[in-house]
Amino acid sequence: DAGVIQSPRHEVTEMGQEVTLRCKPISGHDYLFWYRQTMMRGLELLIYFNNNVPIDDSGMPEDRFSAKMPNASFSTLKIQPSEPRDSAVYFCASSLFARDGYTFGSGTRLTVV
Amino acid sequence: DAKTTQPPSMDCAEGRAANLPCNHSTISGNEYVYWYRQIHSQGPQYIIHGLKNNETNEMASLIITEDRKSSTLILPHATLRDTAVYYCIVRVDLSGTYKYIFGTGTRLKVLA
């Protein structure tokens, strides 16, 4: 298995632009998680899905952030409009069952200038 | 939320056992302890988890005290590639939702 695949690996965008991050979970995994990592705040859970349904989005910082999972093999995290403080590494992770360990992707490093 | 306390950094000689402690004194009865590590610029990697009993897999051993207020992750023969930040996490179950709360972790440096 190729693991959790995230794209792009790096994204540089100007403030005010829309940014879309993509994630392909491991086939058959029912849970998908989006995390954000910064030096100041560490790793933060933004949102997670179970069977394509958003379960907990309490970590999504603002209405500028939205996440979707249209099918079991694809999820997106969108920021519109982007701001410099959104600069971070965004990780996607998936797991088969709730109590399994998660498999994380390699992350997307977002820089908003 | 159950929180964890870990030392900010540790050193370990290559080939020796690395023992990483974690305090989770507010853990409740149905909360699992998980360990992950993050090698520089990579995504976190799952290592092991447990509830009450000690656990062992190909990567590490997890020792949980009888009162469950603390645990120790043991890397039996540390190598340079084990240099990473190690996170001890108590997963919080809230009305059917599941959350990891990552702390600041322990930065382990394995020395040649």
Side-chain angles (χ1 to χ4, degrees), chain A:
Chain A
D1 197 318
V4 176
I5 300 172
Q6 292 186 246
S7 64
R9 287 298 309 274
H10 303 274
E11 176 80 39
V12 180
T13 190
E14 291 186 348
M15 182 174 64
Q17 296 298 306
E18 177 180 296
V19 175
T20 299
L21 311 181
R22 297 172 175 79
C23 176
K24 177 179 169 55
I26 290 175
S27 177
H29 279 193
D30 289 336
Y31 289 83
L32 184 139
F33 308 83
W34 282 100
Y35 280 83
R36 176 173 71 174
Q37 186 172 34
T38 61
M39 288 294 293
M40 292 294 294
R41 300 175 67 88
L43 273 159
E44 303 173 277
L45 175 64
L46 301 178
I47 185 171
Y48 84 89
F49 295 82
N50 177 213
N51 291 322
N52 313 338
V53 176
I55 302 299
D56 186 345
D57 65 356
S58 60
M60 296 285 263
E62 314 173 20
D63 291 346
R64 298 185 296 107
F65 286 68
S66 63
K68 294 182 179 179
M69 193 164 186
N71 57 62
S73 60
F74 184 64
S75 177
T76 60
L77 178 67
K78 185 178 295 186
I79 308 172
Q80 166 64 18
S82 58
E83 296 182 5
R85 60 193 167 121
D86 301 331
S87 297
V89 181
Y90 290 81
F91 290 105
C92 176
S94 71
S95 70
L96 179 59
F97 298 113
R99 288 203 170 129
D100 287 348
Y102 300 170
T103 301
F104 280 79
S106 299
T108 295
R109 182 173 294 278
L110 173 65
T111 303
V112 183
V113 298

Side-chain angles (χ1 to χ4, degrees), chain B residues 9-58:
Chain B
S9 64
M10 293 180 63
D11 291 341
C12 177
E14 189 179 20
R16 304 296 293 269
N19 297 283
L20 293 95
C22 179
N23 181 288
H24 33 78
S25 57
T26 59
I27 195 171
S28 63
N30 61 349
E31 291 177 335
Y32 283 72
V33 179
Y34 290 76
W35 283 83
Y36 284 76
R37 71 181 182 184
Q38 188 172 24
I39 297 170
H40 180 62
S41 78
Q42 298 182 18
Q45 177 189 23
Y46 165 76
I47 300 173
I48 198 167
H49 74 279
L51 180 63
K52 295 180 181 178
N53 301 320
N54 299 337
E55 302 287 345
T56 296
N57 63 20
E58 66 278 4

